[in-house]
Amino acid sequence: MNDFWTRMAGRGPGEVIVDGTVVGSGSLVRLRPRSRTDVFDLVLDGRVAVVESVEQDDEGTLHVAVTLADDPGRDLGEARMPGHRFFYSAEEIEPVGEHEERPGGARILVAGIGNVFLGDDGFGVEVARHLAEGPAVPGADVVDFGIRGMDLAYALQRAYTGVIFVDAAPRGHAPGTLTVLDPDLPGDGEAPVEGPVEGPLEGHGMDPVSVLRLARRMGHLPARVRVVCCEPVTADGALFELSEPVRAMVGEAAGLVKSLVMEMIAENAGPGSRDPLPR
């Protein structure tokens, strides 16, 4: 049984060769289902899709996970929701010789995190919403992850060069104080650990350190990580909305996030390089 879980926890190869072309995350492919025995095979035949990952089952068989390129619910597929994410063998896809260009050439993930039912703990979610309602942030994907820690760990497996967490965190400052942290990454400089992840996994919890550790165990962390924190008045559920000092900082935090995105892109550093960011 232990050997079974060890095999199941093993990460897929990440890429597969199809007709002499390397296919991996972000590759555009045309679907050619072989069986054509159900409605999905008939409807999806010939459609262009984006490869999200290459998975390997317990018997070593490779499966290419894809979402449709024109699916307006692609983010649901990326979050492992059924009906938006499909699996095909390498023989059932045709590379179209292109790689997906994410909107604005996005290389940075901005992750708003927190529980909106615990007062100021919903600060990161509110900042993400504020950014999403305004003009697109060049070079960044802005996502409200809420308390979906497992989804965020999976999102970090994409080819992002940096991630910015936005969260509420008590650090002993006056309520509403913004702080930028440059955290030490778990396992920095080490190869991904093989075998099952130790300890319980809380798929609906959101501890940034735990999410980073899980993402590292899954195989990939962006080279740069920043955390934008806001000092809360309360995060114990006494309030069901942001307190006034914290709400007043939503716009300023959004501006700070934009400046950090620009800094990360301008740094244009190679994989694995880290630099301190005193604040």
Side-chain angles (χ1 to χ4, degrees):
M1 181 62 71
N2 288 337
D3 183 56
F4 168 79
W5 286 113
T6 298
R7 295 196 307 272
M8 291 299 290
R11 180 172 169 79
E15 296 178 336
V16 64
I17 305 296
V18 180
D19 295 333
T21 301
V22 177
V23 173
S25 178
S27 296
L28 294 181
V29 298
R30 194 174 301 278
L31 305 178
R32 298 298 187 190
R34 290 180 300 176
S35 62
R36 300 177 62 83
T37 56
D38 61 31
V39 66
F40 281 112
D41 288 343
L42 296 174
V43 171
L44 300 183
D45 185 27
R47 299 285 293 276
V48 174
V50 181
V51 174
E52 296 297 332
S53 63
V54 179
E55 310 287 351
Q56 188 171 22
D57 64 23
D58 182 45
E59 297 179 350
T61 304
L62 298 180
H63 304 273
V64 181
V66 304
T67 55
L68 296 180
D70 59 356
D71 181 2
R74 273 196 60 200
D75 61 318
L76 299 177
E78 295 170 3
R80 272 56 177 177
M81 296 294 289
H84 296 269
R85 190 170 188 253
F86 306 94
F87 291 87
Y88 293 91
S89 67
E91 292 75 21
E92 295 179 300
I93 60 175
E94 296 177 357
V96 299
E98 298 179 24
H99 202 80
E100 179 198 29
E101 294 294 337
R102 297 187 63 80
R107 297 184 298 122
I108 308 300
L109 175 63
V110 177
I113 61 179
N115 191 330
V116 296
F117 296 107
L118 294 181
D120 288 341
D121 192 57
F123 173 76
V125 171
E126 191 62 33
V127 173
R129 290 175 179 173
H130 181 89
L131 287 167
E133 292 171 356
V137 182
D141 286 341
V142 179
V143 183
D144 164 17
F145 282 97
I147 58 173
R148 296 178 292 120
M150 188 68 74
D151 290 348
L152 177 52
Y154 275 116
L156 292 176
Q157 302 309 298
R158 296 180 65 98
Y160 289 113
T161 60
V163 58
I164 300 172
F165 294 99
V166 188
D167 194 13
R171 295 181 51 79
H173 302 300
T177 300
L178 295 179
T179 307
V180 177
L181 305 179
D182 178 29
D184 292 329
L185 301 187
D188 232 351
E190 301 176 2
V193 180
E194 299 294 337
V197 179
E198 298 178 358
L201 297 181
E202 178 53 65
H204 294 281
M206 184 54 75
D207 172 8
V209 174
S210 297
V211 171
L212 289 172
R213 184 176 295 113
L214 174 58
R216 178 63 184 172
R217 294 297 297 269
M218 293 170 67
H220 179 261
L221 273 182
R224 285 170 155 24
V225 178
R226 302 288 188 259
V227 182
V228 175
C229 300
C230 183
E231 187 75 25
V233 172
T234 178
D236 58 5
L239 297 175
F240 291 98
E241 58 183 13
L242 299 184
S243 63
E244 287 304 320
V246 172
R247 181 172 297 280
M249 300 305 294
V250 169
E252 184 169 337
L256 178 56
V257 167
K258 291 179 181 179
S259 68
L260 288 174
V261 169
M262 294 177 62
E263 287 182 18
M264 283 186 171
I265 293 176
E267 285 165 0
N268 194 26
S273 63
R274 307 283 316 289
D275 68 330
L277 179 64
R279 295 272 178 178

